[in-house]
Structure formats: structure tokens, C-alpha cells
Amino acid sequence: MTYRVGYFVGSLSSTSINRRLSQALISLAPEDLEFTEIPIGDLALYSPDFDGDYPPEAQALKDAIAGSDAVLFVTPEYNRSIPGALKNAIDWASRPYGQNSFDHIPAAVIGASVGSLGTALAQQSLRAVLSFCNARQMTAPEAYVHFRAEDYADDGTVTDEGTAEFLRGFMAEFRDHIQRVLTVLPRP
Ligand code: FNR
């Protein structure tokens, strides 16, 4: 059985360290996880005025989540919280009312920063939002990544063995979490 994981990168930066982290996570993940990025950069700002007629980018977002067995959030911390672009994408996916795309979906959260807090506060904010959206979050292990450029090669390979081991373990736990959630809550 292969599990399809849709992943969000919470940064729109062309030099994003979180995008590099996402590549590292994919390369270290168990073989039965298959990854597709769910893009957030072309979405308009959400308004309930769109609820009767979602624009194509927003419909594509909802379709991508519907086609995923699980979602992974790899995000920076902006001003001790969730980057606006990512929160906007979550708002789109959570609506129209009664059509929340995150209902019961297995989810995991991870993020990297150049500071030592490693996105801990952004992840706390994100977890609160995903909890309201009824996503089934992996609660442990937590992963607050203090990004050191020397630990990663340009192609995303993790050169520091301790970091690689930690990220590999995180993804193995996520795989087990997905399997557990889907056993009792199969995706429609
Ligand atoms: C930041 N940064 C940051 N870092 C942090 O640890 N806590 C924070 O609250 C913030 N706030 C913040 C706000 C804004 C608007 C920016 C642009 C940056 C620094 C941030 O961790 C750093 O820029 C990372 O490189 C961002 O991740 P990406 O975009 O490289 O993936």
C-alpha cells in the first residue's frame, strides 16, 4: 500500500530553507510514501464572496487535498506565527462551510528557522488552526529544526548524520501515524 502525501511549503521565497527541508524529508521518507506539492503561491486572498464559485487555483487546492491520503506542512515562522500565505491557503481549503477539506485527514507539521526556536511558535499556531479544522495531527515527535546550511547539500541531501537520522525517524513515525488514522478513518 502506498500513501499519497500532499505537502505544503509555507514559504514563497525562492531561496526557502523550508523548501530545502521538504526535499530532505522526501529523500529520507519510507518508500511507501509518495509526495506531491500542493502550491499556495497563486491563490487570491480568501473571501466568502468566492464560496459560490471557487476560482481554479482554489478548486485545484481542494482537489489536491481530496486526492491525498495525508498532508504535511513544512513552514517557516513569521512574527512568531503562521506565514500569511499558508494561513490563506488553509482558509480556502476549510471552506465553503460544510466542505472542509481537512476533516479527519492525517497531518504532520514541521518547520525550519535560522533561529534556535526552530519555528516552535508558528507550529503551535498552526496546530491550533489544524485542530479546529479537525485534521488528525501527529502529536509526537515534534520537530523544530534549527537550520544550519552546512548540514545540507545543494540537492537537498542531508550531510549531517544526526540530522538525517532525526528527520528519517520523523517521517517513519508520520507513515505509521497515517496508517493508524486511515485504519479507523478511511479517506472517502
Ligand atoms: C522571519 N523570520 C523569523 N524567524 C523566527 O525564528 N521567528 C520569527 O518570528 C520570524 N519572523 C519572520 C518574519 C518575516 C516576515 C520574515 C521574512 C522572516 C526569519 C525566518 O526564520 C527566516 O527568514 C527563514 O529563512 C524563513 O524561512 P524560508 O522562507 O527560508 O523557508
Side-chain angles (χ1 to χ4, degrees):
M1 172 97 197
T2 298
Y3 298 111
R4 297 160 301 174
V5 177
Y7 70 97
F8 294 86
V9 177
S11 172
L12 304 184
S13 166
S14 60
T15 58
S16 169
I17 59 174
N18 283 279
R19 181 165 298 285
R20 284 178 78 181
L21 175 61
S22 71
Q23 288 156 358
L25 291 166
I26 291 168
S27 72
L28 295 166
E31 282 186 357
D32 55 353
L33 298 186
E34 199 176 83
F35 294 86
T36 307
E37 181 171 359
I38 302 180
I40 63 172
D42 291 335
L43 294 164
L45 291 177
Y46 171 77
S47 161
D49 294 349
F50 291 113
D51 281 357
D53 185 17
Y54 258 35
E57 299 80 17
Q59 192 53 52
L61 173 87
K62 288 184 74 72
D63 291 346
I65 298 168
S68 302
D69 296 312
V71 286
L72 173 67
F73 293 85
V74 187
T75 187
E77 177 172 290
Y78 275 7
N79 300 314
R80 297 285 182 254
S81 189
I82 309 166
L86 180 58
K87 180 59 166 53
N88 182 51
I90 294 171
D91 291 342
W92 275 111
S94 70
R95 293 277 155 161
Y97 183 77
Q99 296 174 48
N100 166 25
S101 300
F102 295 116
D103 194 34
H104 290 318
I105 198 167
V109 171
I110 187 169
S113 76
V114 289
S116 56
L117 293 183
T119 73
L121 289 138
Q123 290 189 42
Q124 282 302 112
S125 299
L126 180 54
R127 283 184 180 281
V129 171
L130 293 175
S131 175
F132 181 73
C133 291
N134 210 28
R136 302 295 160 177
Q137 298 178 65
M138 181 170 78
T139 48
E142 298 172 301
Y144 308 124
V145 179
H146 179 195
F147 189 88
R148 292 171 303 205
E150 62 269 25
D151 292 347
Y152 302 81
D154 287 343
D155 65 358
T157 312
V158 184
T159 50
D160 179 72
E161 191 39 46
T163 303
E165 196 51 39
F166 174 75
L167 297 178
R168 194 180 290 116
F170 179 86
M171 294 307 280
E173 290 284 350
F174 185 35
R175 183 233 170 257
D176 291 351
H177 174 74
I178 295 168
Q179 186 177 42
R180 270 185 226 114
V181 173
L182 295 183
T183 299
V184 287
L185 296 168
R187 297 285 288 153

